[in-house]
């Protein structure tokens, strides 16, 4: 174009022969100029698709939204952390909703719809958090074997339980049958433990007897004895007649669907009236044969040994009618009658073999304990190499002491036994956590209902007016802070229960469960166990003041820092912030130290008592897990003393 302009300027006559006149414009100054159109087109070779490159295209850019893992009952702080945002972002996302913004705190629990709303308003998408691998663990428990082929069954001795009222002669009856001196070793004439004995009669028949306590406090142990027996011998004194424990024994036998033989004892006494006893039993649906029933009644004198063979023959006859059979080989199944800790043998259990053949070296599982059998002992302490169905034996070799009443099952290896115990422990922990979570959700629901009820008449007010109205309504509550109410002096009786037998401890705990005077004196069972009172028990009595279970974990913003807080429920005693604390997971102590904060709701408190919930944070980097145990204890320095008396 510049060349054309120069040509037109220098030789207009020559250039005009190529262009029409209208294309020439008046001269600017003395030289003509070439007119240039703005929409001129230049000749060019058109290439297929070339023109499309110059068209404006609307390209849709795919934006990947951030995915947020959510779960039910998330707190504001946990939601912000999952979104990688701060607390204020969540609050801003909830503006212009029906949610009361004044009530939101970092530890406030959001409903599911508000959790989803926050994620959507933040331009993100949500997905439900997957269950952890630990919740999807395969079931590794062990169960009873299927019923055996009837052709493989063999007759077994009957398991007979002696029941009746205290001092009606049960132990004397057993003593006469097995020719031993049990009565002389009984303290106060009351049998303290369940005992199992295999008695062989002169005729060759064998009977396994279970001796259950006759004291009223031990009714639960007596019930366990009835559930592990084939026949019940009900001992009733001819001079006393039917008493309270007699009636309880009848009820236990009926519940277990076990036949009864009545032994009318003390018939040698002048005031004895056996017929009156039988008539009294009619009122409890125990009909003896002479009254047209099917219950055998034998008149005996346990002290003099009169008519005991007739009682044994009646027992053997009834056992023949029942046709008691069991599989004499294969993996063992049985039941623990009693458990105790022996100084020389360790944990020891008295068991009845119900199926299979128990041998030394067998690997057994009972409850959350397992054993590799080191010794099998009979009632006289003699070593056995094996024990078949209906045999009563002492088993030595337990790693931990199982509870009385637990079912014994044999497994193929020690590794299998560990798997079973680990699974049962895990299952118990999960069930406990589920129960705790249900309680938490119920309390949260109650709190929300109370919160809504308190504010339902204030919705038309502004937030400032609402704050003022709530302050006036709760002014009376603020005058007495929860911290002051919880630190009031109350009568408290902490207890440590120790016994030589599991059944005895269980009976005492059952009695303590009936305590109903907590408003007069708070009674707390600090610890219970089996064995002698040890130095550790004494130390625990002096310093073990409280115990709490961790229910949940959440973070609380303190300035720009997030502090992990453990939500706990006090199970025993009380937590005192001034004392020392210990974190226990399973059997391991993971941390010891002091608390940084102890709160009840939103108030800083000094003491939190049993049954209450609290939040606590500790000094140092400690990771809590739901199910952990927090122990509060006191360290006391006492001067050491000796028994030496210098004489001055």
């Amino acid at each position: 174009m510049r060349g054309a302009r120069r040509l037109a300027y220098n030789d207009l006559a020559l250039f005009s022969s190529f262009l029409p006149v209208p294309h020439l414009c008046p001269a600017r100054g003395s030289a003509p100029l070439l007119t240039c159109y703005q929409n001129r087109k230049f000749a060019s070779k058109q290439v297929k698709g070339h023109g499309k490159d110059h068209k404006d295209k609307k390209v849709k850019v795919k934006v990947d939204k951030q995915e947020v893992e959510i779960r039910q009952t998330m707190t504001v702080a946990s939601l912000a952390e999952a979104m990688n945002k701060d607390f204020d972002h969540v609050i801003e996302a909830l503006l212009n909703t029906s949610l009361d913004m004044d009530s939101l705190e970092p530890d406030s629990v959001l409903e599911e719809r508000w959790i989803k709303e926050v994620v959507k308003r933040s331009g993100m998408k949500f997905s439900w958090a997957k269950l952890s691998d630990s919740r999807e663990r395969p079931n590794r428990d062990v169960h009873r074997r299927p019923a055996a082929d009837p052709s493989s069954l063999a007759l077994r001795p009957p398991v007979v339980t002696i029941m009746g009222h205290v001092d009606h002669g049960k132990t004397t009856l057993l003593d006469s049958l097995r020719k031993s001196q049990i009565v002389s070793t009984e303290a106060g004439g009351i049998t303290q433990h369940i005992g199992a004995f295999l008695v062989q009669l002169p005729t060759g028949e064998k009977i396994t007897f279970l001796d259950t306590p006759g004291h009223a406090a031990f009714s639960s142990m007596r019930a366990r004895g009835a559930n592990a027996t084939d026949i019940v011998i009900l001992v009733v004194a001819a001079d006393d007649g039917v008493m309270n424990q007699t009636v309880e024994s009848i009820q236990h036998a009926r519940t277990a669907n076990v036949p009864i033989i009545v032994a009318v004892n003390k018939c040698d006494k002048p005031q004895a009236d056996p017929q009156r006893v039988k008539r009294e039993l009619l009122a409890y649906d125990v009909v003896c044969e002479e009254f047209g029933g099917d219950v055998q009644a034998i008149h005996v004198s346990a002290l003099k040994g009169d008519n005991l063979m007739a009682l044994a023959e009646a027992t053997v006859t009834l056992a023949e009618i029942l046709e008691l059979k069991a599989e004499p080989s294969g993996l063992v199944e049985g039941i623990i009658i009693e458990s105790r800790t022996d100084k020389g043998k360790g944990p020891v259990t008295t068991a009845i073999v119900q199926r299979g053949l128990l041998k030394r070296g067998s690997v057994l599982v009972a409850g959350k304990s397992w054993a590799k059998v080191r010794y099998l002992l009979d009632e006289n302490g003699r070593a056995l190499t094996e024990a078949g169905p209906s045999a009563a034996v002492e088993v030595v070799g337990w790693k931990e002491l199982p509870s009385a009443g637990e079912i014994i099952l044999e497994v193929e290896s020690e590794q299998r036994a560990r798997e079973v115990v680990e699974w049962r422990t895990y299952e118990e922990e999960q069930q406990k956590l589920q129960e705790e979570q249900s309680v938490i959700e119920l309390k949260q629901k109650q709190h929300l209902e109370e919160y809504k009820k308190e504010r339902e008449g204030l919705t038309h007010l502004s937030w400032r007016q609402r704050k003022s109205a709530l302050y006036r309504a709760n002014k009376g509550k603020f005058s007495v802070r929860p911290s002051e109410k919880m630190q009031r002096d109350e009568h408290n009786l902490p207890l440590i229960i120790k016994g030589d037998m599991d059944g005895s401890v269980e009976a005492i705990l059952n009695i303590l469960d009936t305590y109903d005077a907590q408003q007069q004196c708070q009674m707390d069972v600090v610890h219970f166990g089996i064995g002698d009172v040890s130095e550790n028990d004494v130390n625990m009595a002096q310093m073990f003041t409280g115990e709490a279970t961790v229910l949940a974990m959440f973070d609380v913003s303190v300035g720009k820092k997030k502090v992990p807080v453990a939500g706990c429920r006090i199970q025993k005693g009380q937590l005192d912030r001034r004392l020392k604390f210990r974190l226990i997971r399973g059997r391991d102590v993971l941390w010891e130290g002091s608390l940084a904060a102890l709160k009840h709701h939103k108030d800083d408190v000094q003491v939190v008592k049993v049954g209450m919930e609290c939040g606590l944070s500790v000094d140092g980097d400690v990771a809590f897990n739901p199910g952990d145990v927090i122990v509060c204890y006191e360290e006391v320095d006492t001067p050491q003393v000796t028994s030496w008396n210098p004489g001055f």
Side-chain angles (χ1 to χ4, degrees), residues 625-638:
N625 287 340
D628 290 349
V629 176
I630 306 293
V631 175
C632 176
Y633 65 95
E634 182 179 5
E635 292 181 344
V636 180
D637 293 331
T638 56

Side-chain angles (χ1 to χ4, degrees), residues 29-47:
S30 60
L33 292 178
L34 181 66
T35 302
C36 302
Y37 294 98
Q38 297 296 325
N39 60 346
R40 60 186 176 274
K41 296 182 179 179
F42 297 95
S44 62
K45 185 178 180 181
Q46 296 294 326
V47 181

